Amino acid sequence: MPRVLTGRFGSAAAPLAVAIAMVAFSGCGSVSSGVKPESSLLAGSQPPSASTPPSDSGPLSSASREPVPTAAESPAIEPGAGQNGDGAAEVKVAQAETPQDKGEPGGPPADDEDYDPWEKFNEKMFEFNRQADRFVLKPVAKVYSVILPEPFEVMIGNGFDNMAFVPRLVNSLLQGKFGGAGRELSRFLINSTLGIGGLFDAAKYYGIEKSREDFGQTLGFWGVTPGPYLIVPFLEPMTVRDGIGRGVDGLMNPLSYFIPFIWTGVALKLGEIVNDRALNLDLFQGFEESVVDLYSAVRHGYLRRREQLIKE
């Protein structure tokens, strides 16, 4: 695997520069995607086998969707409503193709290889996020759950999700998925009225599911390569392309314009993270013991899932 940066501090400087640029682009409200995060600190991505809304990308997208042979299982997180529609994420298993061809020595990585030139830096940040989730975020979320009953947590999560419809709507249009854009507009109108300002997901009773489009997918749809895998403190795993996408989605988030003070936006974002974690207290229960290399498993599941989302 080619090494992009050399020198004593080179391996850390580039990912930190990407993270700083992403935060600068994200504006006042949020650096995370307008879509519900896969997890608060440590996340994979949704497995290809999970149910997704109908694709609206037309024949070209349908033609590009091919069955992927499965030889290894890697963990992934599926954001979505549970049986009670509570928005809780479910731990799933992503069926992912085992890399077979590593490419020529010294050459570029093969298509099925996880491109991770900043692996040493990423592993440290991954462990930092894992411990922060274990010793800080999860205990806070437990106290939060005691104070606030779960039905109210679900209502708060629905409200945040309803306000973040703009990035999903715009990215659906940019990818030519007009059906998805129509669903997003319909969901917003229904949930903002019948759902009392988005506190209730009334649109699901009409069978209107939300799209899962973000600007990282839009860049991939138009041929932009993902770039290196990257993990920074307090954020979900990403690639350089997805990090830029999250910054752009943050600029499209209406909260960035209606909240004048940056610290108010930060407080709201922290509240959203704690609320989301409270809805998923058992997210990694017994999960770490089920895999040998948690970092590689999460990385592989995330990258494969992002590829699948772009093809849909």
Side-chain angles (χ1 to χ4, degrees):
M1 184 178 295
R3 294 291 173 182
V4 179
L5 301 171
T6 58
R8 186 174 181 181
F9 302 104
S11 61
L16 286 175
V18 173
I20 292 171
M22 186 184 66
V23 172
F25 274 115
S26 64
C28 162
S30 146
V31 288
S32 65
S33 163
V35 185
K36 269 289 193 186
E38 287 85 348
S39 155
S40 298
L41 288 177
L42 172 66
S45 61
Q46 192 177 34
S49 60
S51 59
T52 56
S55 173
D56 305 287
S57 54
L60 290 178
S61 175
S62 300
S64 66
R65 195 179 302 118
E66 299 178 359
V68 180
T70 60
E73 293 184 347
S74 55
I77 308 303
E78 177 183 1
Q83 291 181 352
N84 298 326
D86 57 2
E90 301 175 359
V91 177
K92 299 288 187 178
V93 176
Q95 300 292 336
E97 185 179 24
T98 301
Q100 301 291 337
D101 183 12
K102 299 296 182 181
E104 294 297 330
D111 290 340
D112 57 357
E113 184 179 359
D114 297 339
Y115 184 37
D116 190 6
W118 300 327
E119 183 171 358
K120 291 183 178 179
F121 172 84
N122 288 336
E123 285 180 336
K124 293 177 181 178
M125 295 301 100
F126 180 85
E127 183 62 21
F128 172 82
N129 284 345
R130 192 173 70 88
Q131 297 302 328
D133 178 76
R134 178 182 179 185
F135 294 109
V136 179
L137 182 58
K138 188 172 182 179
V140 170
K142 286 182 176 179
V143 175
Y144 179 87
S145 293
V146 172
I147 298 173
L148 196 67
E150 184 175 348
F152 291 98
E153 295 174 8
V154 173
M155 291 168 62
I156 292 172
N158 288 338
F160 278 116
D161 187 73
N162 192 56
M163 289 184 289
F165 88 101
V166 175
R168 298 193 297 266
L169 171 64
V170 172
N171 284 299
S172 292
L173 292 174
L174 291 176
Q175 296 177 46
K177 299 178 180 180
F178 301 110
R183 289 198 308 271
E184 283 302 321
L185 183 59
S186 299
R187 283 180 56 84
F188 176 74
L189 295 175
I190 293 173
N191 290 341
S192 297
T193 53
L194 299 180
I196 311 177
L199 297 178
F200 299 94
D201 189 2
K204 71 179 181 181
Y205 297 106
Y206 294 89
I208 306 175
E209 300 293 337
K210 73 178 181 181
S211 62
R212 293 172 181 157
E213 314 307 326
D214 57 61
F215 197 72
Q217 292 180 46
T218 298
L219 292 174
F221 179 84
W222 291 105
V224 178
T225 56
Y229 182 70
L230 175 63
I231 298 179
V232 295
F234 307 113
L235 292 179
E236 301 86 14
M238 68 185 81
T239 60
V240 171
R241 179 187 65 196
D242 292 340
I244 295 172
R246 290 178 186 179
V248 174
D249 287 336
L251 290 174
M252 290 190 282
N253 193 321
L255 286 178
S256 300
Y257 302 97
F258 291 107
I259 299 177
F261 302 108
I262 186 170
W263 294 113
T264 306
V266 170
L268 282 174
K269 183 59 186 176
L270 290 175
E272 181 182 5
I273 291 174
V274 171
N275 187 79
D276 181 68
R277 191 65 177 98
L279 287 168
N280 302 281
L281 285 175
D282 297 327
L283 194 61
F284 301 106
Q285 193 70 33
F287 184 60
E288 298 178 8
E289 293 79 9
S290 64
V291 293
V292 177
D293 185 352
L294 184 62
Y295 170 80
S296 296
V298 170
R299 176 187 64 191
H300 193 71
Y302 172 81
L303 294 176
R304 298 292 81 76
R305 182 54 186 164
R306 292 298 292 178
E307 291 177 359
Q308 182 69 23
L309 287 172
I310 291 171
K311 291 178 181 178
E312 289 177 352

